Amino acid sequence: MRLTRVHMPVPLEVGMEFELPPSAAHHLSRVLRLGPGATVVAFDGSGQDYPCEITAVDGGSVKVRILERRPGLAESPLAITLVQAVSRSDRMDLTLQKAVELGVRSIVPVLSARSVVRLDQRQAEGKLRHWQTLVASACAQCGRSRVPEVRTPVELRHYLAQSPREGQRLMLSPSGPSSLAGLSTVGTRVELLIGPEGGFDDTEVEAAGRAGFRPVRLGPRVLRTETAGLVALAVLQALWGDLQ
């Protein structure tokens, strides 16, 4: 039987005893009805798994003790940074959740000229906390032990002007001169730029080109923003990552 996995946002060590977060405690005690002696797996995002024994269940509280440390699931050899234009909340949540399942290494939410969503500083901070929680939960579900970084939302123009190049830079474009699957190689690090619901405007496309982003297409159909990035991630992992 597959063990339940729980993310803990603190460094873990063998022998440590601690109380699980309320949401995890509720799921284990009220939904799965696990009691003392049952085993769960905790992970802190560092790449290690920590099998734990439940030592006490008291109402909504669940306490565990770490029994051992073991290597977590290996990460893909292809390090992908998803530079994703922020979309409406449910679409963005879907994109981030599935991107984690597809092995993305880091996520950069960007705000572009045609983005439907607009965020002030307070809203951006709230979204970041929400996305970080969602990404950690997705890791627990899919078996990853290293939690992808989610960076603070930033204006696309600032990202293009200030961010250092990290390997091959690719931008999805329906009119790209070559297909993603037709590339001969992408190296070991890829930055994948995905536009918003209305696509990038001409100024952004030109700026992305100056920053080294190569336009590539996926096929004959125009995909929605929440679909495009996930299809591209699957293609990248199938050709050069760990879905071979």
Side-chain angles (χ1 to χ4, degrees), residues 170-226:
L170 302 172
M171 174 178 62
L172 287 193
S173 170
S175 59
S178 57
S179 71
L180 176 59
L183 299 179
S184 58
T185 183
V186 296
T188 59
R189 298 184 68 84
V190 175
E191 287 181 84
L192 180 64
L193 177 59
I194 309 296
E197 288 91 334
F200 294 127
D201 66 18
D202 291 343
T203 301
E204 291 171 331
V205 171
E206 292 173 3
R210 291 194 300 271
F213 280 91
R214 177 180 179 178
V216 293
R217 65 181 185 275
L218 286 173
R221 291 168 294 279
V222 177
L223 304 181
R224 297 171 70 107
T225 182
E226 68 270 25

Side-chain angles (χ1 to χ4, degrees), residues 83 108-110 151-166 169 191 207-208 210-213:
V83 186
V108 183
V110 293
R151 301 182 197 172
T152 303
V154 63
E155 293 285 341
L156 175 62
R157 65 180 186 275
H158 295 321
Y159 180 78
L160 295 176
Q162 300 172 4
S163 64
R165 182 168 180 163
E166 298 179 4
R169 284 185 151 177
E191 287 181 84
R210 291 194 300 271
F213 280 91

